Amino acid sequence: MPVFKYKAVSSTGQSFDGQLEAKNIDEARGMLIRKKMTIQSIKKKPTEINLPSIGTGISAKEIARFTRQFSAMSNAGLPIIQSLSILEQQATNPTLKNVINKVTGSINGGSSLADALALHPKVFDRLYVHMVAAGEAGGILDGILMRLADYQEANERLKRKVKKAMTYPAMVAVVAILVVIIMLTFVIPQFTSIFSDAGIALPWPTRVVMGLSDLIRDKFLIWFTFLIALVVAFRYMLNIPKFRLIFDGTLLKSPLFGDLLTKSTIARFSRTLGTLLNAGVAITDALTVTAKTAGNTKVEQSIMYIQRSITGGKPIADPMIETKIFPPMVVQMTAVGEKTGGLGNMLIKVADFYDEEVDAAVDTLTSMIEPLIIVFLGGFIGFILVAMYMPMFSLSDAVG
């Protein structure tokens, strides 16, 4: 639906600058007039070209804080517009301040809070919008916002755990690679000149190391360009649905990271679906939103299969088994929750359990990867040292 930007003055003399959704400009004018607002200007918002961007400039922590404060004000009985005005004044992030201002303008233009938030999908995702819509419909907006804040904080803790598990091994691996490159670039050439002047036959390990050194020093630009092209090609391939599906499925089955990714995915699925169900969102809609926020196309495909199966009349546990992603314990607890009518609360318990499992998986992964990297680095450096010392014996014999 088209979006119209407007400037208007309310019956109390307050100026508003916002935007609203309408079928055409006449309908947009009518919406503002029904709000008893005097229109100063109104025009259709130009179509935006969505280019890839790095983040929104608003952290998940700031959104969670905004949500919790909004919930407290709503619980205290403050009107939505007044709450948003206070939150806009308190916001220290200019980007968030601007978004809150636009949301306020949209509500003044006749939009509901959920519709106003939906105009900023990079800040407020589908889960956020669906829960707010459910809260508005049920008259429990303050409680829904509190649940949203709890969900966001728990989800952020989960992301930090996974990042911790991924960052440490990556940093150690980068340092190891840099050490090896420095040795091959600056240390090995010193030995090469000595061996060339001596004119002795070199053993194969020495020739291999010297060849690697020459390859890095003489063709560094070519290798660097190749690596950049490889990264760009890989990122392009990830945009191809079939390749992305295969890649995400392989990640879940990978020997080192698969267990951690699977557990974090189950924790996110359980918490998202449980939070939506407890907010009063229909299970089919809740599964659709959960699929879009899964973060893994293989899991997203599996959740959508569950959604279609439920629509066809199956209980939720049957398609969960068929996907072969969810462990038996998760399936059984979900089945019990469905039978007892407490599926939302049961899924939250599953999420809490798997949060602890993610902690254990992070510790296990870290304890496994660290010695592996040390063994690799030590073995490679040891190979280089042995390769460089082997000709020394021939050189000493020649001198003798």
Side-chain angles (χ1 to χ4, degrees):
M1 190 176 289
V3 178
F4 295 88
K5 299 180 72 174
Y6 69 87
K7 291 183 179 179
V9 179
S10 67
S11 56
T12 59
Q14 187 176 1
S15 297
F16 291 100
D17 183 359
Q19 55 188 17
L20 54 86
E21 285 185 330
K23 293 180 181 178
N24 50 52
I25 195 167
D26 292 331
E27 182 179 300
R29 288 180 184 276
M31 291 169 68
L32 292 173
I33 291 170
R34 284 194 294 275
K35 283 282 196 179
K36 297 181 180 180
M37 300 183 76
T38 304
I39 301 171
Q40 294 179 327
S41 66
I42 184 169
K43 61 181 180 180
K44 186 176 179 181
K45 185 179 180 181
T47 303
E48 295 180 348
I49 300 174
N50 294 321
L51 298 174
S53 58
I54 302 175
T56 61
I58 305 172
S59 68
K61 187 177 180 180
E62 288 176 313
I63 295 297
R65 188 187 304 119
F66 161 82
T67 306
R68 193 167 294 284
Q69 291 173 344
F70 195 2
S71 170
M73 293 179 190
S74 179
N75 188 42
L78 292 178
I80 290 177
I81 295 295
Q82 186 178 352
S83 299
L84 288 171
S85 178
I86 294 170
L87 288 168
E88 182 184 350
Q89 294 172 13
Q90 291 180 348
T92 56
N93 186 326
T95 307
L96 179 59
K97 188 185 288 285
N98 183 46
V99 169
I100 297 173
N101 179 266
K102 289 180 179 179
V103 169
T104 305
S106 299
I107 294 172
N108 280 318
S111 297
S112 66
L113 175 60
D115 290 339
L117 295 173
L119 293 173
H120 309 277
K122 291 182 179 179
V123 180
F124 305 103
D125 57 19
R126 293 182 64 180
L127 180 142
Y128 200 107
V129 173
H130 271 72
M131 286 191 66
V132 169
E136 286 185 298
I140 51 171
L141 183 59
D142 55 337
I144 292 297
L145 288 171
M146 186 62 71
R147 285 179 180 172
L148 256 176
D150 292 338
Y151 166 81
Q152 289 172 325
E153 289 166 358
N155 198 42
E156 188 62 21
R157 284 195 299 271
L158 179 64
K159 286 181 180 179
R160 283 199 301 268
K161 292 173 188 174
V162 176
K163 284 180 181 178
K164 176 187 174 184
M166 300 295 187
T167 301
Y168 177 74
M171 292 299 295
V172 174
V174 168
V175 171
I177 292 170
L178 285 175
V179 169
V180 171
I181 289 175
I182 290 171
M183 287 188 68
L184 292 174
T185 306
F186 299 103
V187 178
I188 301 304
Q190 306 299 323
F191 288 91
T192 303
S193 58
I194 295 173
F195 297 151
S196 298
D197 294 340
I200 57 175
L202 300 175
W204 70 265
T206 308
R207 294 198 302 270
V208 168
V209 172
M210 290 172 63
L212 285 173
S213 177
D214 292 338
L215 199 62
I216 290 175
R217 287 189 303 115
D218 300 338
K219 295 182 173 58
F220 174 78
L221 189 59
I222 295 174
W223 278 108
F224 183 75
T225 306
F226 173 74
L227 287 173
I228 295 296
L230 196 64
V231 171
V232 172
F234 179 72
R235 289 179 65 87
Y236 172 77
M237 291 287 287
L238 286 178
N239 293 324
I240 301 173
K242 274 191 175 180
F243 179 83
R244 185 59 184 259
L245 183 64
I246 294 170
F247 177 75
D248 284 351
T250 304
L251 278 181
L252 292 175
K253 296 177 181 178
S254 60
L256 285 177
F257 296 99
D259 182 58
L260 173 64
L261 291 176
T262 300
K263 287 177 178 176
S264 63
T265 297
I266 292 171
R268 188 184 301 112
F269 162 82
S270 303
R271 192 171 300 282
T272 304
L273 183 57
T275 303
L276 285 166
L277 292 176
N278 285 339
V281 179
I283 188 168
T284 51
D285 293 336
L287 283 166
T288 302
V289 175
T290 303
K292 298 299 180 184
T293 58
N296 183 292
T297 52
K298 179 68 175 177
V299 177
E300 179 182 342
Q301 186 184 68
S302 299
I303 296 172
M304 290 308 299
Y305 173 74
I306 294 171
Q307 193 257 11
R308 290 192 299 271
S309 299
I310 289 176
T311 305
K314 286 186 177 181
I316 190 172
D318 291 348
M320 285 180 73
I321 295 172
E322 294 170 14
T323 61
K324 297 180 180 178
I325 289 178
F326 301 95
M329 186 273 285
V330 177
V331 176
Q332 290 169 9
M333 290 186 70
T334 303
V336 170
E338 187 177 27
K339 288 177 182 177
T340 58
L343 182 56
N345 291 328
M346 186 64 78
L347 286 168
I348 295 297
K349 290 179 182 178
V350 172
D352 291 338
F353 172 79
Y354 270 90
D355 279 346
E356 296 178 4
E357 288 290 297
V358 168
D359 282 335
V362 167
D363 294 337
T364 302
L365 183 65
T366 304
S367 62
M368 286 175 59
I369 287 184
E370 185 175 2
L372 284 175
I373 293 175
I374 292 173
V375 168
F376 169 78
L377 180 59
F380 197 84
I381 292 177
F383 177 78
I384 293 175
L385 293 175
V386 170
M388 290 298 101
Y389 272 104
M390 285 177 71
M392 294 292 185
F393 300 107
S394 301
L395 188 61
S396 61
D397 292 340
V399 172

